[in-house]
Amino acid sequence: MKEHDDLKKTGLKATLPRIKVLSIFEKNKDKHLSAEDIFKIMLRSDDEIGLATIYRVLTQFEQSGILIRHHFESDKAVFELNEKDHHDHIVCLQCGFIQEFVNEEIENQQKLIAKKNGFNIIEHALVIYADCTKNPCSCKLGGAENIAKCHKLT
Amino acid sequence: MKEHDDLKKTGLKATLPRIKVLSIFEKNKDKHLSAEDIFKIMLRSDDEIGLATIYRVLTQFEQSGILIRHHFESDKAVFELNEKDHHDHIVCLQCGFIQEFVNEEIENQQKLIAKKNGFNIIEHALVIYADCTKNPCSCKLGGAENIAKCHKLT
DNA sequence: GTATATGCAAAACTTTTGCATCCTT
DNA sequence: AAGGATGCAAAAGTTTTGCATATAC
């Protein structure tokens, strides 16, 4: 089982809750999920889990490098798989849609800035808050399937 | 009174709590303060205020463009005066010291990226998380006055 | 005088923790 | 079998809200 082996590689015991949480992220590679999102997804598929366990597992996964934690503009943290290919985010303020991007020039400038100011970069977070109305955003297209695409839950 | 007039300009009634909160930000132009920071500062100077009022005032100030809200890596929001000169932040993970910076090249690249992806930028947040040990960070220098400089309260 | 703002307490919401029980190795 | 992981409930931390009272204009 893929998730089972991935967990063992990081030194974590392959328990059912951990396997379940990891597989949800594998099935939602393009999504940014909160603890509550995970909880709701598992409730809907009749998987028993406690919210406290989810918080513990998410923190462990972040520490072992499996997940990345983001704060974006809201009070609650969201997580995504750490695919090693660093990227930044554009967040649509209307529907929450998240577009990922990379830009070498920005990466380089950051290194120069840190060096000039005497800092060692540990990591960074660049979030552009925007409207995707011109895109157009899925919400504007209407229809349950688009609203679903637009928001976070699967 | 400066704060009084500034408030009237934005259409807000110039009440005592609002004037007090605004003047704290004026006195701490280089700091990023949380609701609780404000609360503690006012307690120390014997100004009566409720925490709920601080939260309401901070939100109103943000909406009227007086303050900017940041989330950085922690759970609690921090605010700073909106000086109109946009800048980004380097946050020291060891002591919380915050260095501001601007970089035109990064600003331009963001505009290009948004355009290419069909988004209207509303705003953006770039935070570099780093160690300022090489700086060296005030905490490392020791001494109460440096620790104080390093952290947020005034 | 009237509408709005404040203070307090209670509630809402996210996240953490203590502890008895269960599961992985 | 033993140690770590889970679930539940309770707590902690941040932010919001209801309502009676106070304040600005």
Side-chain angles (χ1 to χ4, degrees):
Chain A
M1 192 201 274
K2 186 177 178 315
E3 283 85 5
H4 184 282
D5 297 342
D6 287 346
L7 286 169
K8 300 305 284 289
K9 263 180 244 160
T10 69
L12 289 170
K13 261 193 203 171
T15 63
L16 220 51
R18 284 180 184 151
I19 291 171
K20 283 285 180 192
V21 170
L22 183 50
S23 71
I24 287 174
F25 279 100
E26 294 287 354
K27 280 188 214 115
N28 292 278
K29 280 190 198 294
D30 55 328
K31 300 264 171 51
H32 297 70
L33 305 172
S34 69
E36 210 198 339
D37 291 336
I38 305 274
F39 188 59
K40 284 191 195 150
I41 290 171
M42 295 188 69
L43 283 186
R44 272 193 275 159
S45 49
D46 291 322
D47 291 313
E48 309 254 320
I49 198 169
L51 197 47
T53 303
I54 294 178
Y55 277 103
R56 276 185 288 233
V57 167
L58 290 174
T59 300
Q60 292 156 352
F61 282 8
E62 186 197 13
Q63 283 166 353
S64 52
I66 299 174
L67 295 178
I68 297 175
R69 183 192 301 252
H70 297 286
H71 282 92
F72 296 151
E73 87 280 24
S74 87
D75 291 343
K76 54 205 301 185
V78 293
F79 298 80
E80 68 175 331
L81 275 184
N82 180 1
E83 304 269 37
K84 296 294 145 58
D85 65 320
H86 164 78
H87 57 255
D88 291 306
H89 299 87
I90 305 177
V91 178
C92 174
L93 290 173
Q94 305 205 31
C95 72
F97 174 79
I98 296 172
Q99 166 83 54
E100 301 181 345
F101 71 88
V102 283
N103 180 288
E104 280 309 319
E105 186 57 29
I106 290 179
E107 302 293 323
N108 288 335
Q109 288 294 328
Q110 288 185 50
K111 285 175 196 144
L112 292 177
I113 292 161
K115 196 169 186 182
K116 192 166 58 183
N117 288 279
F119 285 88
N120 279 338
I121 295 187
I122 305 295
E123 59 172 336
H124 73 261
L126 169 56
V127 185
I128 298 177
Y129 298 104
D131 281 345
C132 61
T133 45
K134 291 192 150 182
N135 215 19
C137 118
S138 316
C139 281
K140 297 286 159 103
L141 298 177
E145 66 295 349
N146 283 320
I147 302 285
K149 228 194 306 178
C150 233
H151 291 81
K152 289 199 290 264
L153 279 168
T154 300
Chain B
M1 190 200 279
K2 186 178 177 312
E3 283 85 6
H4 185 282
D5 297 342
D6 288 346
L7 286 168
K8 301 303 288 287
K9 263 181 243 161
T10 68
L12 289 169
K13 262 192 202 170
T15 63
L16 219 51
R18 284 177 183 153
I19 291 170
K20 283 286 179 189
V21 170
L22 184 51
S23 72
I24 286 174
F25 279 99
E26 295 286 354
K27 280 188 216 115
N28 291 278
K29 280 192 199 292
D30 54 330
K31 299 263 170 53
H32 297 73
L33 304 172
S34 68
E36 210 199 338
D37 290 336
I38 305 275
F39 188 59
K40 284 190 195 151
I41 290 171
M42 294 187 70
L43 283 187
R44 271 193 275 159
S45 49
D46 291 321
D47 291 312
E48 309 255 319
I49 197 168
L51 196 47
T53 303
I54 294 178
Y55 276 102
R56 277 184 288 234
V57 168
L58 290 174
T59 300
Q60 293 156 352
F61 283 8
E62 185 196 13
Q63 284 164 355
S64 53
I66 299 174
L67 294 179
I68 297 176
R69 183 193 301 253
H70 298 285
H71 281 93
F72 296 152
E73 88 279 24
S74 86
D75 292 343
K76 52 204 306 184
V78 294
F79 298 79
E80 67 174 331
L81 274 185
N82 180 0
E83 303 271 38
K84 297 293 146 56
D85 67 320
H86 164 78
H87 58 256
D88 292 305
H89 299 87
I90 305 177
V91 178
C92 175
L93 290 174
Q94 305 203 31
C95 72
F97 174 79
I98 295 173
Q99 165 83 54
E100 301 180 345
F101 71 88
V102 283
N103 180 288
E104 280 311 320
E105 186 56 29
I106 290 179
E107 302 294 322
N108 289 335
Q109 289 294 329
Q110 288 185 48
K111 284 175 197 144
L112 292 177
I113 292 161
K115 196 170 188 181
K116 192 165 61 181
N117 288 278
F119 286 87
N120 280 338
I121 294 186
I122 305 295
E123 60 173 336
H124 73 261
L126 168 56
V127 185
I128 298 177
Y129 298 104
D131 281 345
C132 62
T133 47
K134 289 190 150 183
N135 213 20
C137 115
S138 315
C139 282
K140 298 286 158 107
L141 297 177
E145 66 296 348
N146 283 319
I147 300 285
K149 228 195 302 176
C150 234
H151 292 83
K152 291 199 288 263
L153 277 167
T154 300

